[in-house]
Amino acid sequence: MTDATTQPAGRLSLGQGTALYVGAVLATGVIALPALAADVAGPASLLAWIGLALVSAPLAATFAALGARYPDAGGVATYARLAFGDKAAAVVGWCFYLSVPVGGPAAALWAGSYVEAGVGGGQTTVLATMMVLLVAVPATNAFGIQVTGRVQIALAALLTVFLVGAVALSLPHADLGNLQPFAPHGWQAIGPAAALLVWSFVGWEAVTHLTAEFRNPARDVPRATAIAVVVVGVLYLSVAFATITVLGEGAAETGAPLGDLLAIGLGGNSRILAAVAALLLSFGAMNAYYAGASKLGAALARDGSLPAWLAQGSAAGEIPRRSLALLCSMSITTALIVMAAGIGPSPLVLLTTGLFVTVYAVGVAAAVKLLPRGTKARRAALVAQGAVVVLLLMAGPYLIWALLVTAAALLYRRLAGPRAQRRP
């Protein structure tokens, strides 16, 4: 797995790959984060959105360059192995793989809460929505990457229409006077607002596990990434601008800014509209992550970092159904525990955060080592490395979970002995 030429041809088109990137990055945070950021920094939160959109570009470019150069189901784990060895690959692989059974239920729980707010039914509606998503997403992936890609194109199209419609229909009601005072809580509030928004731009690593599935990884992975960077940036900034200029002071108080924007433009029940947005966003993000993680699980098993029976489906074009089944069962178990304990999505998101930051840190460090000196890709990796340092500082105590997963991954390799030796 040294370059794209050694890989068998995949089946993902440029459009399907772009849709997977958009779905992975355009996460459920867009439902509420524009309002939360406006509450923290007022109209000045727009600067936080712009700054993060610009910072995400080199991060996306870094993973795109790695994916085009080393297309493999292992994704970031493969880059870590090539740069730092098998142990680093196992650690990164476990961190990403185990983040999905925690992050998936968090996204599904968030969607369930919005559906319940729209149609009622209490915790029964929340649980039913969450379980439907946790079963439907792996089931979609079980039909293969082409079906996953087609579903993702449909989701991305619907979501784009939804967001563009919310902005376009509400902008006639915009008042530029709502941009004043621009920084009601001081310029220093932009930093905390950015801390809230940073997770809206996480997701560029998710599709690295599917780069071998592209028909032409060397050409299409960078193109899909570039298109997705522009689409995601424009959509985020448009929604944030409309939220502030249309809703005014109410932007800081609403829990469903998208629903409110559509309600102003079209009339109707904003909670129902917000529930539709939550379902689309959750399914799209989960679809991309489960597709990537299932291929990763098979690749980890192929390379000796997970039990060998999970290795089925690691090659391009194959369907990792065993890995999908394991992810599905772990996700449902997490969901049942969360519901029984009455835990909200926030603790799950924070636990997932520590794992993702670890993946980013090792992945970007691998890029700095692997990408040729003097290239634009390596310069992008150096810029991204600075951004990752900030992410590590923000993750703080939640890196403890990543340390526990690291210890478990290394212990497994030690106990597995010769079986943990990577196959050729």
Side-chain angles (χ1 to χ4, degrees), residues 24 39 50 90 94 154 204 215 220 223-224 307 332 337 363 374 379:
D39 184 36
I50 294 172
W94 276 52
W204 301 111
R215 293 172 185 168
D220 290 344
R223 289 182 179 181
I332 290 175
I337 293 173
R379 288 194 289 271

Side-chain angles (χ1 to χ4, degrees), residues 70-142:
Y70 308 104
D72 182 66
V76 184
T78 293
Y79 317 148
R81 176 180 58 77
L82 293 174
F84 308 117
D86 289 342
K87 292 182 179 179
V91 168
V92 169
W94 276 52
C95 282
F96 188 94
Y97 195 69
L98 293 180
S99 71
V100 173
V102 179
L109 183 61
W110 198 351
S113 297
Y114 270 82
V115 173
E116 192 280 331
V119 303
Q123 287 302 303
T124 300
T125 299
V126 176
L127 179 59
T129 303
M130 182 165 55
M131 289 302 178
V132 167
L133 284 171
L134 292 177
V135 172
V137 171
T140 300
N141 279 271

Side-chain angles (χ1 to χ4, degrees), residues 16 33 48 52 61 82 141 187 233 289 313 329 333 358 396 405 416:
Q16 291 170 336
L33 286 180
L52 286 170
L82 293 174
N141 279 271
W187 296 103
Y289 272 95
S329 62
T333 300
T358 302
V405 172

Side-chain angles (χ1 to χ4, degrees), residues 117-413:
V119 303
Q123 287 302 303
T124 300
T125 299
V126 176
L127 179 59
T129 303
M130 182 165 55
M131 289 302 178
V132 167
L133 284 171
L134 292 177
V135 172
V137 171
T140 300
N141 279 271
F143 286 99
I145 193 63
Q146 283 188 305
V147 173
T148 299
R150 290 168 185 162
V151 169
Q152 199 69 8
I153 282 184
L155 286 171
L158 284 171
L159 184 56
T160 300
V161 169
F162 191 98
L163 296 179
V164 171
V167 173
L169 293 171
S170 63
L171 276 182
H173 303 274
D175 180 1
L176 295 182
N178 288 327
L179 293 173
Q180 301 297 330
F182 190 71
H185 307 299
W187 296 103
Q188 70 276 7
I190 296 175
L196 278 173
L197 300 176
V198 69
W199 307 117
S200 296
F201 293 91
V202 169
W204 301 111
E205 80 296 337
V207 189
T208 60
H209 309 288
L210 300 174
T211 51
E213 301 290 344
F214 280 73
R215 293 172 185 168
N216 189 335
R219 181 194 66 191
D220 290 344
V221 170
R223 289 182 179 181
T225 304
I227 295 171
V229 166
V230 174
V231 170
V232 169
V234 169
L235 289 176
Y236 273 152
L237 291 173
S238 299
V239 173
F241 179 80
T243 298
I244 290 173
T245 57
V246 174
L247 302 182
E249 294 182 357
E253 301 171 2
T254 179
L258 281 179
D260 289 346
L261 292 177
L262 277 174
I264 290 173
L266 285 175
N269 188 333
S270 63
R271 291 186 176 183
I272 293 291
L273 297 172
V276 173
L279 287 172
L280 289 175
L281 286 160
S282 299
F283 199 104
M286 291 170 66
N287 196 42
Y289 272 95
Y290 277 77
S294 61
K295 292 295 288 189
L296 169 63
L300 289 173
R302 174 200 66 194
D303 296 343
S305 293
L306 281 176
W309 65 271
L310 278 175
Q312 176 270 333
S314 62
E318 295 180 351
I319 304 174
R321 291 192 175 96
R322 294 176 183 176
S323 182
L324 267 173
L326 180 59
L327 285 173
C328 182
S329 62
M330 289 193 294
S331 299
I332 290 175
T333 300
T334 301
L336 292 174
I337 293 173
V338 165
M339 293 301 296
I343 301 172
S346 294
L348 298 178
V349 171
L350 292 171
L351 288 176
T352 306
T353 292
L355 297 176
F356 276 149
V357 170
T358 302
V359 171
Y360 268 85
V362 179
V364 171
V368 171
K369 185 172 182 180
L370 293 173
L371 296 176
R373 293 179 178 273
T375 61
K376 292 182 179 179
R378 191 171 187 277
R379 288 194 289 271
L382 290 171
V383 174
Q385 198 169 43
V388 168
V389 170
V390 176
L391 294 180
L392 286 169
L393 293 174
M394 291 172 56
Y398 298 103
L399 291 174
I400 294 175
W401 175 236
L403 291 175
L404 293 175
V405 172
T406 295
L410 295 177
L411 179 61
Y412 175 85
R413 287 190 60 84

